[in-house]
Amino acid sequence: MGNTGIAMIGGGSWATALVKVLNQNQHHVHWWIRNQAVIDCLKKENHNPDYLSGVKFSPAQISPSNNLEEIFSKAEIIFLAVPSAYIKNVLQKLSPANFQNKIFISAIKGMIPQENLLIAEFLEKEFSVPEKNIINISGPSHAEEVALEKLSYLTLACTNEVNAKLACDLLACKYVRCSTSDDVEGTEYSAVLKNIYAIAAGVFHGLGYGDNFHAVLISNCIEEMERFLKAVHPITRDIKDSAYLGDLLVTAYSQFSRNRTLGAMIGKGYSVKNALLEMNMVAEGYYAAKCVHEINAQHHINIPIVEAVYEILYEEGNAEVILGKVTKLLS
């Protein structure tokens, strides 16, 4: 395993944390980063200046580059950690030939905007990657806590159990525990939905609602999530598993949640545009709300919290008025 070529695509916080874990497990990583200044800093000062800058890397364990085709050619296992809104643009110059006989591990918690595709669906459609070679990483986990070596749990979902276990072996260490699942579509959708719900939780927090209400909100969010998953991917699953409920809880409550932060800013009076401009990281829930709203136009699932977030983000609705209506629907 140590001699297998491994690549990381992305230069953000999750990419940085995952490279740290892979290095700790004695894996060299070919690391694609768009920004040449970040690459230069990694080579000279051994840290990422933009994200998790306290994490130090050994030059012998990373090969940073912005030559994507070269990075792909050196790896059999490729981690994807680029925001969903940008992944299509990042990969656009590659062809299906670049993706042959490779395993892809996605740490992306979103969908392809406009096309409303999950990352696994996108890889299959655009680059003919077989589903058995696509693995989805689910939480509950934040990159910041992984970087701080706080005990975290990951679920690796793949239709091929051997490949899921391979991903577990790559990432499991003293502070990362890993388990496997075959529910790729369900874990991807739940990661998409929990970011939308975290925005709702943030807006309510910004409006001054307390812990008692938030407990009711999140209880209703997990019920919505279960209804949605049963409609779009009806298999047997336990919605209380950490890949679903746990990931929702940490994203809705944590100080590290960028989606909750976006919502809180809106609740405190920021316009959506200004809130997005002030954030230096992508809030996946912003794009996810539109994707799920459009998907639900076909399914007509009862998901009022998602629809309320969509109305606030895309129809310039008054957050206090819209969410005031939602409070009357909760139980």
Side-chain angles (χ1 to χ4, degrees):
M1 183 70 66
N3 294 323
T4 300
I6 297 174
M8 179 65 62
I9 310 301
S13 55
W14 247 126
T16 304
L18 289 171
V19 172
K20 171 188 167 73
V21 172
L22 290 165
N23 284 175
Q24 178 153 338
N25 287 341
Q26 304 305 310
H27 299 295
H28 183 95
V29 178
H30 301 280
W31 193 355
W32 180 87
I33 298 172
R34 183 191 298 276
N35 191 329
Q36 185 61 48
V38 174
I39 294 171
D40 293 340
C41 186
L42 276 167
K43 290 180 175 179
K44 295 177 182 177
E45 301 180 26
N46 306 319
H47 73 96
N48 183 340
D50 294 339
Y51 298 94
L52 305 180
S53 58
V55 177
K56 291 290 185 178
F57 297 96
S58 166
Q61 289 186 300
I62 59 172
S63 297
S65 169
N66 56 16
N67 187 326
L68 187 62
E69 190 168 1
E70 181 181 359
I71 291 280
F72 261 63
S73 71
K74 293 180 177 179
E76 292 80 46
I77 300 173
I78 299 176
F79 285 79
L80 301 175
V82 175
S84 61
Y86 309 131
I87 187 64
K88 185 173 182 178
N89 183 61
V90 166
L91 301 177
Q92 66 180 345
K93 293 183 179 179
L94 301 179
S95 71
N98 297 109
F99 288 73
Q100 286 185 3
N101 304 316
K102 299 183 188 299
I103 292 173
F104 291 86
I105 304 175
S106 172
I108 301 171
K109 310 298 183 184
M111 304 184 73
I112 306 298
Q114 285 83 53
E115 299 181 49
N116 301 338
L117 293 173
L118 297 169
I119 301 306
E121 293 172 333
F122 167 70
L123 292 175
E124 291 180 55
K125 177 184 176 183
E126 295 293 325
F127 300 105
S128 302
V129 180
E131 63 176 5
K132 69 181 181 67
N133 286 353
I134 303 170
I135 302 160
N136 180 55
I137 301 178
S138 294
S141 56
H142 282 299
E144 292 81 359
E145 288 200 352
V146 172
L148 291 169
E149 301 188 7
K150 292 184 179 292
L151 183 60
S152 301
Y153 290 73
L154 300 178
T155 299
L156 287 303
C158 183
T159 58
N160 181 293
E161 187 176 4
V162 172
N163 285 340
K165 288 181 176 178
L166 181 151
C168 279
D169 290 342
L170 289 174
L171 295 172
C173 64
K174 64 181 182 180
Y175 55 90
V176 176
R177 307 277 172 81
C178 294
S179 59
T180 63
S181 167
D182 61 0
D183 187 14
V184 180
E185 190 169 340
T187 57
E188 277 208 80
Y189 267 126
S190 68
V192 169
L193 289 165
K194 56 99 175 179
N195 286 329
I196 304 171
Y197 296 134
I199 292 177
V203 176
F204 276 117
H205 176 74
L207 289 170
Y209 286 72
D211 291 345
N212 293 342
F213 172 78
H214 276 82
V216 174
L217 173 68
I218 300 308
S219 296
N220 280 263
C221 287
I222 197 64
E223 290 176 1
E224 272 199 23
M225 182 184 290
E226 185 170 30
R227 288 196 295 271
F228 186 89
L229 294 182
K230 281 182 177 178
V232 300
H233 189 50
I235 67 167
T236 300
R237 64 172 62 84
D238 188 347
I239 202 70
K240 299 186 299 297
D241 284 350
S242 60
Y244 314 101
L245 177 58
D247 210 7
L248 169 62
L249 290 172
V250 75
T251 308
Y253 283 106
S254 175
Q255 62 178 325
F256 295 123
S257 171
R258 61 195 72 175
N259 292 283
R260 187 178 189 275
T261 298
L262 173 63
M265 294 172 71
I266 294 169
K268 290 175 181 177
Y270 282 76
S271 68
V272 174
K273 180 179 180 181
N274 286 340
L276 290 169
L277 286 173
E278 286 211 13
M279 294 185 67
N280 65 346
M281 295 188 289
V282 174
E284 289 277 18
Y286 173 76
Y287 302 100
K290 190 171 189 291
C291 291
V292 174
H293 168 77
E294 292 175 352
I295 290 170
N296 197 41
Q298 303 169 12
H299 293 276
H300 307 291
I301 309 160
N302 181 27
I303 49 173
I305 301 170
V306 168
E307 296 297 348
V309 173
Y310 169 80
E311 189 175 349
I312 292 167
L313 295 179
Y314 288 93
E315 296 183 352
E316 299 182 356
N318 181 284
E320 188 168 9
V321 173
I322 293 168
L323 293 184
K325 295 177 182 177
V326 168
T327 63
K328 298 176 183 179
L329 302 175
L330 305 184
S331 61

